[in-house]
Amino acid sequence: MIRRGANLFRRSVGHWVDFARRGAWAIIAAAILSAGAGLYYAAAHLAISTDTTDLLSKTLPFRHDFDVLKKAFPQLHDNIVIVIDGDNADVVANTSAEIAIRLRKQPDLFPYVFDPADDPFFTRNGFLYLDIDTLGNLSDRLAKAQPLLASLANDPTLRGFFGVLGLASDGIASGDAVVQSFEEAGIYSAIGIVLLLLVVMRNAVDTVFVLVPLGLAAVFTIALMVLCRLPFNFANIIALPLLLCLGVGYGIYFVLRHRAVADMATVLATNTPRAVLFSALTTMCSFGTLAISRHRGTQSMGILLFLSLTLALVCTLIVLPAMQQLRERRTRRTPGPRNF
């Protein structure tokens, strides 16, 4: 059984060698185009969820109560506010009414449309007799203080008051600290990896060959997360720097073996591809177990790590051999010895 599996793996490698020889340019072009499209799409839609409540399980009692509240009063959550400005009040009123009419024609996208000028209560009471400036200032202050007021309502004591003060300062500091830590981790890990590869390999082209699959995997990971609506949050965002550290080894194995045999067909016929595959699978399974955690933050980290490592393996097994194949063709056409 094991011998049959090994033979099947070798035959698959042989088919891949032929494909890499014939379609190296097509593979490189497809990788560049798909990476560019993914980067463009991710740049337009990428967002990081700063709601730490989403990191907790939805089975918790307070999460269940909150979901019930949202279903009972959908108009209080996930609102889009449209501010209309014009030369005179009539233009503003007519535009507001026209927008409200058109939005109400699309209940699948806008199930609740509220136009203050068209509401009997607010038409009659004039926003509880507040002038526009006072009302604007009040609504702005209430919107900013909503999380703090909710916390204070749960504990209307002196302890709750000081807890609100701590919550405000801690929330701002923790959010900034997480984003800053992610940026520093990504920059420092990238710089460290590049410098180490240059020192150890002593060849800039080999270093680039190792890093290209990693860069492609990072772009594809971000694009796929956005496309599948898997949110980035304060827990799983650290997986991207980890991708650089964990996935860099795949390309190193291939590049070093190619140095020894100087032929990609020979490299793919050795045990190196199988060793890379099994090594990657064990790493993916180890981090993938985090995806079954009951903590949503840990769960999202496991999903992102499994996805990113899978894409790193695929890019290494597909793009890197094609790059090496093109390099061999160029070497054969170049007269005399030359280092790349």
Side-chain angles (χ1 to χ4, degrees):
M1 188 69 178
I2 297 177
R3 183 176 301 175
R4 184 179 303 174
N7 292 333
L8 178 61
F9 184 83
R10 292 191 184 95
R11 287 196 300 269
S12 301
V13 169
H15 293 315
W16 166 238
V17 171
D18 294 335
F19 177 70
R21 286 175 175 174
R22 295 192 305 266
W25 278 114
I27 293 172
I28 301 299
I32 294 175
L33 291 176
S34 55
L39 193 61
Y40 176 80
Y41 180 81
H45 300 85
L46 179 63
I48 298 177
S49 175
T50 58
D51 188 358
T52 55
T53 305
D54 289 338
L55 301 180
L56 303 177
S57 174
K58 289 187 176 182
T59 60
L60 295 174
F62 88 93
R63 289 296 306 275
H64 174 73
D65 295 340
F66 183 67
D67 291 338
V68 172
L69 178 64
K70 289 177 65 176
K71 292 179 180 179
F73 302 97
Q75 67 273 22
L76 302 179
H77 305 278
D78 300 327
N79 293 323
I80 300 176
V81 179
I82 302 176
V83 179
I84 303 174
D85 190 13
D87 297 332
N88 56 69
D90 292 335
V91 173
V92 172
N94 293 336
T95 304
S96 175
E98 181 66 21
I99 292 176
I101 292 173
R102 294 191 179 187
L103 292 179
R104 290 191 180 104
K105 292 181 180 179
Q106 306 179 65
D108 54 331
L109 297 176
F110 309 101
Y112 179 80
V113 178
F114 173 70
D115 182 9
D118 194 32
D119 186 82
F121 174 81
F122 286 100
T123 301
R124 183 173 60 253
N125 296 282
F127 286 97
L128 301 179
Y129 307 104
L130 291 176
D131 60 83
I132 296 178
D133 293 336
T134 304
L135 180 62
N137 293 332
L138 176 61
S139 61
D140 290 341
R141 291 197 301 270
L142 289 176
K144 294 178 181 179
Q146 182 180 2
L148 306 181
L149 293 176
S151 177
L152 186 60
N154 292 330
D155 188 7
T157 63
L158 186 61
R159 179 186 61 185
F161 173 73
F162 283 109
V164 167
L165 296 180
L167 178 64
S169 60
D170 292 344
I172 297 174
S174 61
D176 293 341
V178 170
V179 175
Q180 183 179 359
S181 298
F182 164 72
E183 294 175 349
E184 292 178 353
I187 294 174
Y188 293 155
S189 61
I191 293 175
I193 289 173
V194 171
L195 292 178
L196 184 61
L197 288 175
L198 289 173
V199 171
V200 174
M201 292 191 166
R202 300 179 182 179
N203 189 300
V205 176
D206 286 344
T207 300
V208 172
F209 275 34
V210 172
L211 294 177
V212 166
L214 275 182
L216 291 174
V219 172
F220 292 150
T221 298
I222 296 174
L224 196 58
M225 289 284 290
V226 175
L227 184 63
C228 297
R229 296 183 179 181
L230 299 173
F232 286 97
N233 52 53
F234 287 162
N236 65 16
I237 196 173
I238 198 63
L240 292 179
L242 286 176
L243 165 65
L244 302 179
C245 303
L246 297 172
V248 68
Y250 308 155
I252 293 176
Y253 302 145
F254 270 102
V255 170
L256 291 181
R257 178 53 71 99
H258 185 267
R259 275 188 178 184
V261 298
D263 182 72
M264 201 62 207
T266 305
V267 172
L268 296 176
T270 64
N271 290 327
T272 299
R274 185 166 50 180
V276 171
L277 176 63
F278 292 157
S279 175
L281 289 177
T282 56
T283 305
M284 290 157 52
C285 291
S286 298
F287 285 100
T289 56
L290 297 176
I292 62 176
S293 171
R294 298 184 62 181
H295 187 277
R296 290 173 61 86
T298 306
Q299 182 184 88
S300 64
M301 182 186 295
I303 294 174
L304 183 54
L305 279 171
F306 183 85
L307 177 64
S308 61
L309 291 173
T310 301
L311 291 172
L313 176 63
V314 171
C315 290
T316 301
L317 293 178
I318 294 179
V319 179
L320 185 55
M323 295 171 60
Q324 294 283 22
Q325 190 68 33
L326 294 179
R327 186 182 186 183
E328 291 177 13
R329 293 177 185 175
R330 184 180 177 184
T331 304
R332 297 190 190 103
R333 290 196 300 264
T334 304
R338 183 176 178 180
N339 292 327
F340 285 89

